[in-house]
């Protein structure tokens, strides 16, 4: 029986590292992918296949496509489809570095490491702005049916968001709470939050049909910059996509307040294979 990659559902680790790879032209990715699958357990290492890689392999993965870039109302929400995502989960930066060097060597020369992003769990799951993140994630069986198909595969949308801490700090605490729609101090939802509040834009029950996602976002920091590596898993990309469109004001012209303090700088989608016999089952890719 195929099972999901357990790292997707597990509690977030203290540290993680995301590796985003591009496919080098005129190379056969199959031996590298087979070697990667052989060292992937779905827990310490979660992998995702991008739409460009699926296309290169002539594989038709249901529901996998590049994210739609959105330019509206002065916003620029990029689509940066990379071929392969490796999510290394751990507790020790040195282990993560050694593990990622092993993966890079194994995937070369077919794949080129395009971006490495170190992430961490901030204050038990708060965003760097101090707000609790993940409160309205589905629980128990609902989390499983939200995140996975019946065969244990999953699709994930990933965006790196860069915060504008100066813009955030310049706001009063009421204005900050109104951006999110929750009080930072006690995480209570605000009854009188404006329509632009993030939790109003993304209210999962407010879509028809409902649009639930399994969020597994983590903070990132490099020098004095930082933000959120947003990750939303689902049995399809639809829930993420309708939320993103509503955040960008494409439904009603109302833009999510979050854009006042943060901007997405990448946008990827990946198919996360199920585990069969302890390793990712890449047979849907023809491997
Ligand atoms: C800088 C980027 C982001 C930050 C800092 C952020 C932060 C938050 C916070 C603090 C909450 C409230 C607590 C919770 O339920 O988790 C929340 C809720 C939520 N966010 Fe985000 N978020 C970001 C981007 C996104 C994006 C891009 C999406 C999807 C397109 C999204 C989807 C959601 C959903 C579905 C909820 C729960 C809404 C509900 O049903 O109540 N978020 N987010």
């Amino acid at each position: 029986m195929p099972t999901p990659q357990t790292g997707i559902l597990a509690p977030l680790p203290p540290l993680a590292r995301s590796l985003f790879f591009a496919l080098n032209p005129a190379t056969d990715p199959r031996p590298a992918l087979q070697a990667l699958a052989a060292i992937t357990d779905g827990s310490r290492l979660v992998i995702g296949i991008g739409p460009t890689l699926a296309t290169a392999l002539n594989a038709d993965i249901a529901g996998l496509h590049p994210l739609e870039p959105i330019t509206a109302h002065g916003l620029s929400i990029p689509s940066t489809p990379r071929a392969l995502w490796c999510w290394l989960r751990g507790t020790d930066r040195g282990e993560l570095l050694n593990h990622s060097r092993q993966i890079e060597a194994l995937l070369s020369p077919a794949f080129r490491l395009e971006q490495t992003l170190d992430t961490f769990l901030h204050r038990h799951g708060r965003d760097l702005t101090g707000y609790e993140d993940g409160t309205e994630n589905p629980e128990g069986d609902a989390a499983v049916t939200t995140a996975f198909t019946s065969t244990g595969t999953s699709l994930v949308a990933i965006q790196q968001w860069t915060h504008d801490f100066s813009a955030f700090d310049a706001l009063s605490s009421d204005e900050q709470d109104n951006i999110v729609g929750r009080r930072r101090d006690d995480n209570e939802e605000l009854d009188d939050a404006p329509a632009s509040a993030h939790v109003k834009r993304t209210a999962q029950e407010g879509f028809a049909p409902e649009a639930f996602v399994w969020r597994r976002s983590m903070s990132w920091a490099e020098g004095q910059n930082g933000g959120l590596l947003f990750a939303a898993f689902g049995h399809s990309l639809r829930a993420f996509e309708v939320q993103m469109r509503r955040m960008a004001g494409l439904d009603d012209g109302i833009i999510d307040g979050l854009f006042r303090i943060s901007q997405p700088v990448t946008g990827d989608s990946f198919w996360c294979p199920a585990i069969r016999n302890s390793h990712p089952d890449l047979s849907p890719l023809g491997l």
Side-chain angles (χ1 to χ4, degrees):
M1 269 291 285
T3 52
Q5 298 190 59
T6 52
I8 296 172
L9 214 51
L12 286 170
L15 300 175
R17 179 173 257 222
S18 276
L19 308 177
F20 298 93
F21 289 91
L23 181 60
N24 279 327
T27 53
D28 180 1
R30 281 171 290 205
L33 283 174
Q34 261 149 351
L36 179 67
I39 63 150
T40 300
D41 61 358
S43 165
R44 182 170 166 248
L45 173 59
V46 170
I47 61 166
I49 307 294
T52 52
L53 178 53
T55 303
L57 292 166
N58 289 320
D60 185 16
I61 302 291
L64 178 66
H65 51 255
L67 299 182
E68 162 197 39
I70 300 176
T71 44
H73 310 299
L75 304 175
S76 168
I77 302 169
S79 173
T80 55
R82 265 78 64 92
L84 180 65
W85 174 54
C86 294
W87 186 27
L88 291 61
R89 308 166 74 260
T91 55
D92 179 299
R93 291 190 66 185
E95 294 290 338
L96 290 173
L97 173 67
N98 289 335
H99 195 190
S100 56
R101 286 178 53 78
Q102 178 199 7
I103 293 169
E104 183 184 14
L106 186 114
L107 291 174
S108 174
F111 292 91
R112 183 177 71 258
L113 183 56
E114 207 173 273
Q115 187 187 9
T116 303
L117 195 65
D118 285 315
T119 57
F120 54 92
L121 195 62
H122 172 57
R123 292 176 62 200
H124 309 287
R126 287 177 190 250
D127 176 64
L128 289 172
T129 51
Y131 289 89
E132 280 184 34
D133 193 15
T135 312
E136 291 295 335
N137 255 339
E139 291 173 8
D141 288 348
V144 177
T145 52
T146 296
F148 303 104
T149 65
S150 56
T151 56
T153 64
S154 184
L155 290 159
V156 62
I158 303 182
Q159 292 175 317
Q160 182 185 0
W161 286 70
T162 299
H163 290 357
D164 182 344
F165 293 107
S166 304
F168 181 72
D169 292 344
L171 300 171
S172 70
S173 62
D174 280 352
E175 284 175 304
Q176 294 172 344
D177 288 352
N178 278 334
I179 282 183
V180 175
R182 282 182 180 265
R183 259 197 314 264
R184 182 169 38 185
D185 291 348
D186 57 10
N187 197 27
E188 278 302 310
E189 209 166 333
L190 303 177
D191 293 333
D192 55 353
S196 59
H198 180 54
V199 300
K200 287 211 161 172
R201 293 282 89 196
T202 54
Q204 297 163 104
E205 285 159 351
F207 295 86
E210 292 178 341
F212 280 91
V213 288
W214 174 247
R215 284 172 292 141
R216 275 306 186 233
S217 310
M218 294 182 78
S219 295
W220 67 269
E222 280 175 5
Q224 297 289 69
N225 298 320
L228 192 71
L229 185 64
F230 174 84
F233 292 87
H235 51 76
S236 87
L237 294 171
R238 174 201 158 256
F240 165 81
E241 288 173 326
V242 295
Q243 289 171 12
M244 194 70 253
R245 292 176 70 83
R246 193 169 285 177
M247 284 178 69
L250 297 185
D251 293 351
D252 54 11
I254 300 170
I255 298 165
D256 196 307
L258 264 188
F259 287 103
R260 294 173 63 192
I261 58 152
S262 197
Q263 302 300 326
V265 294
T266 67
D268 282 284
S269 54
F270 300 100
W271 170 74
C272 301
I275 297 288
R276 191 189 286 272
N277 301 327
S278 310
H279 298 290
D281 174 13
L282 300 182
S283 59
L285 298 175
L287 271 83

